[in-house]
Amino acid sequence: MIGVLLLGHARIASETKQAVEHILGEQAQFKAVDIINSDIPDEEDTGLSAVLDNLNQGQGVLILVDLLGATPWNIVNRVVVNQHVALLSGFNVPAVVRAISLRQECADLNQLAQSSVEAGKHYMRLQMAEFG
């Protein structure tokens, strides 16, 4: 099974994980890492490496990061050198639900990542309403 890691500012990763597990139930090989203090990113490297090692059971890890180019993204890019991972930035709950739902039947990490991106986009809608 492909591992899934959420990584983000403040508590967005752990709160998203909690929402997904509220919907789907408790999940194996699914972790969240919150970057609370963006001023000390180097201290996160060792812990993140251990989390990735634990999540990767041979089929790789899908890493979903809240913002492209921000501190969590930069931290994970230092850690993932020579590892079997796919990085997705800008996650939302539908993208994570899709990843968790499909990862047992989908052994291809790139296909799982693409499906997650499609779900994240598909479930976003803009509805304009006039109030008053």
Side-chain angles (χ1 to χ4, degrees):
M1 177 169 47
I2 296 170
V4 175
L5 173 64
L6 301 177
L7 185 67
H9 292 88
R11 294 192 41 83
I12 193 168
S14 60
E15 295 295 335
T16 300
K17 180 179 185 287
Q18 184 176 354
V20 169
E21 289 186 325
H22 176 78
I23 296 165
L24 299 176
E26 190 172 335
Q27 300 293 314
Q29 285 180 256
F30 181 36
K31 300 288 182 194
V33 175
D34 296 318
I35 305 300
I36 304 298
N37 188 345
S38 296
D39 296 333
I40 52 170
D42 294 338
E43 295 179 15
E44 302 291 340
D45 289 9
T46 303
L48 189 55
S49 290
V51 169
L52 285 171
D53 289 343
N54 187 310
L55 285 174
N56 191 351
Q57 301 295 309
Q59 292 185 305
V61 178
L62 176 58
I63 304 170
L64 299 104
V65 181
D66 62 348
L67 293 171
L68 175 68
T71 300
W73 177 265
N74 294 331
I75 291 170
V76 79
N77 270 290
R78 285 196 308 264
V79 173
V80 298
V81 176
N82 297 321
Q83 294 203 33
H84 184 49
V85 301
L87 285 147
L88 186 159
S89 65
F91 68 80
N92 59 20
V93 173
V96 181
V97 167
R98 173 72 55 90
I100 295 299
S101 297
L102 292 181
R103 68 193 178 130
Q104 289 189 14
E105 62 194 51
C106 178
D108 184 282
L109 180 58
N110 292 330
Q111 182 181 359
L112 181 65
Q114 186 60 46
S115 183
S116 297
V117 169
E118 290 168 8
K121 291 178 181 179
H122 177 77
Y123 287 97
M124 289 185 72
R125 296 287 187 268
L126 174 62
Q127 180 174 334
M128 302 299 290
E130 292 188 30
F131 297 97

